[in-house]
Amino acid sequence: MRPAAQSIKWPYPLAGDRCQKASCDVLVIGGGMAGCFAAIAAARRGVSVLLAEKAATEASGAAGSGCDHWESAATNPCSKVSPEELTDAMVRGHAGYNNAISHYIECREGYDRLLDLEKMGGRIRDTEDRFQGAPFRDEKTKLLFAYDYENRFTLRVFGTTFKAALYRECKRLGVRILDRNMATALLTSGGMPARRVTGAVLLDARTSQATAVSAKAVILCTSRPARLWLFSTEFPGISEFRPPQTTGDGHALGWRIGAKFVMMEKSVKGEWSGIRSYPPYSTGNNHNTWYACTLVDATGREIPWADRDGRILNDVASRYKPAPGQKFFIKGGGEPDFPFYEFQGPEVLGVEELLQRGYKLPFYADLGAMPEMERRVIWGMMVGEEGKTRVPVLQAYQREGFNPDRDLLQSYGDGWKSGSFLPQERQLFGVPGGVLNDWRLMTSVEGLFAAGDILFAGNCVGHAAATGGYAARHAAIYAAGIKESKTDANHVEQELDRIRSFRPASRGPASSGPDWKEFNAAICRIMQNYCGALKSEELLSTGMEQLAEFRRRELPHLKANNPHELVRCLEVENILTNAEMVIQACRARRASSRELQFQRLDFPEIDPPEWNKFVVLENRDGRTESTLQSLEYAGNIAENYERYNPAREGRRE
Amino acid sequence: MSGARICRVMPENTSHCPVIIDPGLCAGCCRCVDICPADLFLPNQAAGKPPHVVFGSECWYEGSCVAACPSEAIRLVPPLVNRVHWKPRNWK
C-alpha cells in the first residue's frame, strides 16, 4: 500500500509578477527537429538567435527520443529518384492537396541536413558495420535504406543520437536557449490581421516569469494541433501520437494575429490515442519501423503479401521492390488514407479477406521468419532508434524475456494501427492543414516564418529538418533588412493580464469550474458531436455556439494552482482556439472532398471542379474570412526554388 | 505562483504511477527532472533523494528519464492496458 501523499512545496522561485525583456534578431518558437535546425541555420548566418522550448530542447519534440527513418532524401548519392519526381509524386498522390514548396525543400535539402547532423555527431550510416552485406545497405557509403531498396530515397538512421547532437550545436553556436518556456502570444506592429510580427511573450513553466522578446523575425516550429477530438483524462500524456507538449500552440498564436491557414478542414479517423490503442510500434505490425515484417495468424500460417496489382509475392525480397512497370513506390504498406496506385507499395492482404480465407485471429509479427539482416534491422535498429522505442519497447520487452528469433509479437489492428476508433473520433494525422507559406516559408504576416509540421501538409522528420534550415536562412535575410524591432508595451501588458487571469485569486471560489483536463475533454466532446465524420452547416454552427459558450462561461473559471498548471491551462485555451479554427474551415468548404476525408451532408457532391482549390482561412478581428487559392500556387518548383535561393545549398551529389 | 508567494502541490492521486525510482540507486542528480518532456517531476528538497513524481498522468512513456539516469535507478511502468502479448513460435 502506498503511503499517503504529502503536499510538496513548489521548489522553483515564483516570479509571476515579473516580466523581463529580451531581444534577438531571430526568435525560434519550438525546439524540436525543425526548431533546432532553424536555430542552427540562423546562428550560422551570424544573427542573434533565441530559442524558446516548452520542454527541454535536448529531448523535446516528436523525434526527442529518436527517429528511425529520414524520408524523401532524394539527393543522397544512392537515390534513383530526383527531387522533382518525388515531390510530384507526393503532390499527385494527394490529389494536389499537398505542400509542394515544403516537400520540394524536403526532397532537395533533406539529405544535406542529414550530413549536417553527421558533422554534429549524429550517426546517419552503418559505421559499426552491423549490416554488412545487407540488401538495404550501400557498401561504399554505408548508408542504410528503407522501403524501396531499388530507388533508395528513404534512409534508415540512428535517430537516438540526433537531438543531443543538435542541442550541443545550438549551444556551441551561441543560441540562447530558454527551455521550459512557452510562447503565449505573438507581438505585432498592430492591425488585425497583423502586418508584421515584432516578437513574442514567453512564459516560464516553472516560475511563471514572463519574457517579452523583441525579434526582427520569428519562426514558428510548434508542430500541429492535437487533442481536438481525442483526449484521455486519465492518461492525458498519451492522448495523441506526438508528445504532450505538442498542442498546436503556433496555430493558435498565428490565428490570433491573423495569419492565413489552409486545409484546416481536413481530418482523418483516429489512428492513435492513449489507451484506446497501443503505443506506436510497440505491437506486431508490418509498417514503417516494422516494414516489411512477416505476419502470421494464430496457427502460424503466413499471411500473404501482394503488390499493387494483387499479385502474391513469393519471397521477402519482393516486398522491397517496385511492382512490374512501376518506377518507385512511396513508403511501405501503402498510404494510410487512399493508396495512390502509381506509387503504391506492397501490402499484406486485408483482414476481411484473410478471415474469409480462414486465417485465424489474432495475428502476429513473426520476426523469426525474416532473413537475419531484415530481422536485426527491424528489431534492434528501427525498433530502438525510432522515438518511444528504445526504452519502452526494445529494452523493456527484452528484459521481460522477448526474443525476436523465437517469439511472435501480437498485432492489434490492420497494418500499423492498433486500435479501432469511431468515425467521429478524428485526428490531424498524415498530411493535415496548417499555416500557409510562400517560397521563403514566410506566412502571410511579415517576418513570421514557419517550419516543420505547422506548415500545411507537413510531415515527418526530414521535412522538419529541411524546412527548419530553409526558413531560418530566409528569416536571417529578412532580419538583416529590419533596423530594429520594438514590442508594443500595451500588447505585452494585455497578454500578461490574460496569463495572470488564470490565478486562483482572479477566479471564482475553489469549486466553481473545471480543471484543464475536464475542459479539454469537453472540447473533444463538442468536436465529436458537431465536427465529426458527417458535417453540415447546422451541426458546425451549433458546435461553434457551444465552443463560444465554453469560452464565455467556462474558460473564466479555469484556474491554475501552480506554474505547471498555468501552462496546461494556456495550452487548453489554444486547443479551444484551434477547435474554433477547424470548425470555421469546415464551414468554409461547401463541398465534400475525398482526399480531405471531408463529408458534408448539405453539400454532398464530391470534389466539384470549382472546389478543387485550397480553402484559405483568415481571422479578421474576430470575423473569419475564407478565400480559394489554386492548388498549384507553388508554380514550377525547380524554377521557383532557384529564383528564391540564388546562392543555395542543396546541391546534388 | 505569484500572487501567492508560497505554493504547494499534491502529487496526483492516481492508481498508476508511470515511473518507479529506486531510492537505493538514485543519487538525486535530477537528470530526469531536467530532461522530462512532460516536466512531471519536482526535485526533492532533500539532497540526494529521488525527485517527486507529481504530474504522472502527463507521462509520454518515451523513457528519456530512464535513458538519462546515470545510476539506472528508474523503471518505466506502462499502463497495464498497454501490455502487449507475445508467445513463442510453437507450430506443431
Side-chain angles (χ1 to χ4, degrees):
Chain A
M1 198 173 83
R2 287 201 295 197
Q6 306 261 345
S7 74
I8 298 159
K9 182 167 171 279
W10 193 256
Y12 305 112
L14 296 170
D17 287 335
R18 277 195 247 136
C19 180
Q20 64 183 1
K21 288 185 184 168
S23 68
C24 58
D25 294 325
V26 175
L27 169 64
V28 179
I29 297 177
M33 197 58 81
C36 282
F37 271 101
I40 287 166
R44 281 188 179 154
R45 271 158 175 75
V47 298
S48 63
V49 184
L50 197 153
L51 172 60
E53 160 59 53
K54 238 195 304 186
T57 302
E58 193 178 352
S60 66
S65 59
C67 62
D68 61 347
H69 68 195
W70 200 266
E71 289 182 334
S72 308
T75 62
N76 87 75
C78 306
S79 167
K80 291 187 188 157
V81 182
S82 71
E84 292 75 27
E85 271 179 301
L86 196 46
T87 307
D88 174 68
M90 287 196 267
V91 171
R92 284 198 293 116
H94 285 280
Y97 289 98
N98 208 337
N99 194 327
I101 295 172
S102 72
H103 286 292
Y104 186 64
I105 293 166
E106 172 193 12
C107 294
R108 188 90 185 237
E109 297 190 13
Y111 181 63
D112 291 311
R113 298 294 75 78
L114 205 55
L115 293 176
D116 287 347
L117 255 175
E118 188 170 43
K119 290 192 194 107
M120 295 178 217
R123 183 144 52 102
I124 71 165
R125 58 188 96 221
D126 185 26
T127 45
E128 294 178 349
D129 290 327
R130 283 163 58 186
F131 303 102
Q132 219 165 6
F136 48 82
R137 175 180 139 130
D138 174 70
E139 294 305 314
K140 185 172 155 217
T141 61
K142 302 193 182 189
L143 292 170
L144 304 175
F145 298 96
Y147 318 125
D148 186 336
Y149 290 175
E150 283 190 8
N151 291 283
R152 300 191 154 189
F153 52 87
T154 291
L155 294 149
R156 299 192 207 248
V157 291
F158 298 86
T160 56
T161 63
F162 288 177
K163 242 6 226 346
L166 287 162
Y167 179 60
R168 274 193 311 268
E169 184 68 2
C170 281
K171 290 198 295 183
R172 191 185 73 80
L173 290 170
V175 172
R176 260 182 301 165
I177 300 175
L178 278 184
D179 277 339
R180 309 291 176 193
N181 264 262
M182 175 186 185
T184 70
L186 292 168
L187 299 168
T188 72
S189 56
M192 184 61 187
R195 195 181 63 76
R196 189 167 76 81
V197 77
T198 57
V201 172
L202 309 179
L203 180 73
D204 189 298
R206 291 176 167 180
T207 66
S208 291
Q209 173 161 293
T211 304
V213 181
S214 71
K216 296 175 182 176
V218 176
I219 312 177
L220 289 172
C221 302
T222 47
S223 196
R224 59 179 71 162
R227 293 162 27 189
L228 295 173
W229 289 269
L230 283 162
F231 181 72
S232 167
T233 51
E234 199 183 349
F235 294 97
I238 49 173
S239 291
E240 286 258 15
F241 183 85
R242 284 174 173 70
Q245 312 305 85
T246 301
T247 43
D249 296 336
H251 285 62
L253 267 52
W255 180 249
R256 286 190 198 120
I257 65 162
K260 289 183 180 175
F261 285 80
V262 65
M263 261 172 65
M264 291 305 298
E265 69 276 21
K266 181 180 179 184
S267 62
V268 302
K269 196 166 81 165
E271 296 180 20
W272 302 101
S273 185
I275 55 172
R276 291 284 304 283
S277 60
Y278 289 81
Y281 312 117
S282 69
T283 61
N285 73 102
N286 66 326
H287 275 227
N288 293 352
T289 297
W290 282 77
Y291 191 84
C293 193
T294 294
L295 300 179
V296 297
D297 82 345
T299 67
R301 198 173 157 200
E302 195 170 302
I303 287 167
W305 279 76
D307 69 10
R308 63 177 182 172
D309 297 307
R311 274 186 286 264
I312 301 297
L313 303 179
N314 293 322
D315 57 20
V316 171
S318 301
R319 301 172 195 172
Y320 302 96
K321 291 182 182 154
Q326 183 182 44
K327 165 118 200 254
F328 61 90
F329 72 87
I330 293 180
K331 224 171 195 178
E335 286 295 326
D337 304 340
F338 306 112
F340 192 77
Y341 177 78
E342 194 173 334
F343 311 112
Q344 187 180 349
E347 176 58 280
V348 291
L349 300 186
V351 174
E352 280 180 25
E353 186 176 352
L354 292 167
L355 294 176
Q356 275 170 20
R357 290 191 187 196
Y359 287 80
K360 302 265 183 273
L361 289 168
F363 300 157
Y364 295 85
D366 188 357
L367 285 161
M370 296 291 280
E372 192 196 343
M373 285 286 179
E374 299 292 353
R375 180 166 68 256
R376 288 205 285 113
V377 83
I378 291 175
W379 188 268
M381 195 251 163
M382 301 299 268
V383 177
E385 295 299 327
E386 169 62 344
K388 288 186 66 162
T389 62
R390 168 161 291 180
V391 167
V393 184
L394 187 74
Q395 290 175 358
Y397 288 19
Q398 287 182 169
R399 193 172 50 242
E400 296 290 317
F402 179 78
N403 181 333
D405 299 333
R406 176 199 70 206
D407 293 324
L408 308 171
L409 193 67
Q410 189 178 330
S411 163
Y412 292 83
D414 212 347
W416 68 336
K417 295 175 189 174
S418 63
S420 295
F421 293 86
L422 298 166
Q424 61 266 35
E425 295 175 311
R426 307 187 75 73
Q427 278 182 310
L428 299 183
F429 211 77
V431 285
V435 78
L436 180 65
N437 59 276
D438 66 10
W439 266 102
R440 295 166 294 174
L441 293 186
M442 196 163 86
T443 68
S444 59
V445 176
E446 284 279 316
L448 184 65
F449 296 78
D453 278 6
I454 188 177
L455 291 163
F456 82 91
N459 201 23
C460 218
V461 158
H463 174 272
T467 54
Y470 184 103
R473 290 207 305 272
H474 287 274
I477 293 167
Y478 177 87
I482 302 288
K483 248 197 191 149
E484 96 177 300
S485 199
K486 277 193 186 146
T487 57
D488 184 323
N490 286 334
H491 285 173
V492 174
E493 268 316 301
Q494 277 170 18
E495 178 59 13
L496 294 178
D497 284 344
R498 183 182 78 96
I499 292 168
R500 290 165 186 158
S501 71
F502 286 96
R503 293 177 183 173
S506 308
R507 297 303 209 204
S511 60
S512 68
D515 70 2
W516 66 267
K517 293 179 196 174
E518 191 184 350
F519 198 87
N520 198 154
I523 294 171
C524 293
R525 175 58 68 92
I526 298 294
M527 292 298 279
Q528 286 187 26
N529 284 345
Y530 302 102
C531 193
L534 300 175
K535 300 171 172 78
S536 69
E537 176 57 29
E538 291 79 15
L539 281 168
L540 294 166
S541 57
T542 305
M544 206 55 202
E545 281 165 20
Q546 301 209 15
L547 291 179
E549 194 172 302
F550 275 12
R551 193 174 273 289
R552 197 173 51 244
R553 282 180 54 179
E554 306 303 333
L555 187 64
H557 296 288
L558 191 61
K559 63 178 175 292
N561 294 309
N562 54 65
H564 179 101
E565 276 187 19
L566 177 54
V567 171
R568 302 286 83 74
C569 288
L570 290 164
E571 285 172 341
V572 164
E573 183 171 1
N574 287 345
I575 290 170
L576 177 62
T577 299
N578 290 336
E580 290 163 342
M581 194 198 324
V582 167
I583 290 190
Q584 294 294 58
C586 293
R587 294 172 81 186
R589 179 172 285 277
R590 290 183 296 282
S592 296
S593 167
R594 181 177 179 268
E595 171 60 32
L596 299 176
Q597 298 196 45
F598 185 77
Q599 228 179 319
R600 284 209 52 167
L601 297 164
D602 46 356
F603 294 100
E605 192 184 351
I606 298 174
D607 295 315
E610 66 273 21
W611 282 96
N612 259 357
K613 296 201 192 298
F614 289 125
V615 167
V616 177
L617 221 61
E618 192 180 10
N619 175 9
R620 290 191 154 257
D621 212 0
R623 196 179 71 253
T624 302
E625 283 195 7
S626 66
T627 49
L628 297 181
Q629 181 155 323
S630 165
L631 297 181
E632 282 119 33
Y633 84 92
N636 182 297
I637 50 178
E639 278 174 21
N640 278 323
Y641 180 89
E642 297 297 329
R643 182 173 303 131
Y644 282 89
N645 302 278
R648 80 212 189 291
E649 295 168 12
R651 291 187 179 281
R652 280 169 216 159
E653 294 292 317
Chain B
M1 184 180 114
S2 289
R5 284 288 151 207
I6 293 175
C7 172
R8 297 193 74 88
V9 60
M10 284 293 289
E12 286 173 343
N13 181 20
T14 57
S15 63
H16 179 81
C17 188
V19 158
I20 308 286
I21 303 177
D22 185 334
L25 293 173
C26 176
C29 69
C30 286
R31 274 292 288 149
C32 52
V33 182
D34 294 339
I35 204 101
C36 173
D39 210 13
L40 62 87
F41 299 102
L42 287 181
N44 201 318
Q45 301 288 52
K49 295 287 184 198
H52 304 286
V53 176
V54 177
F55 305 106
S57 69
E58 297 175 38
C59 184
W60 193 40
Y61 297 91
E62 84 294 346
S64 302
C65 53
V66 175
C69 178
S71 313
E72 294 185 18
I74 305 178
R75 188 163 63 90
L76 191 65
V77 184
L80 198 52
V81 293
N82 278 352
R83 183 172 292 177
V84 175
H85 164 67
W86 66 74
K87 69 174 190 182
R89 307 164 95 229
N90 202 11
W91 321 129
K92 295 280 183 244

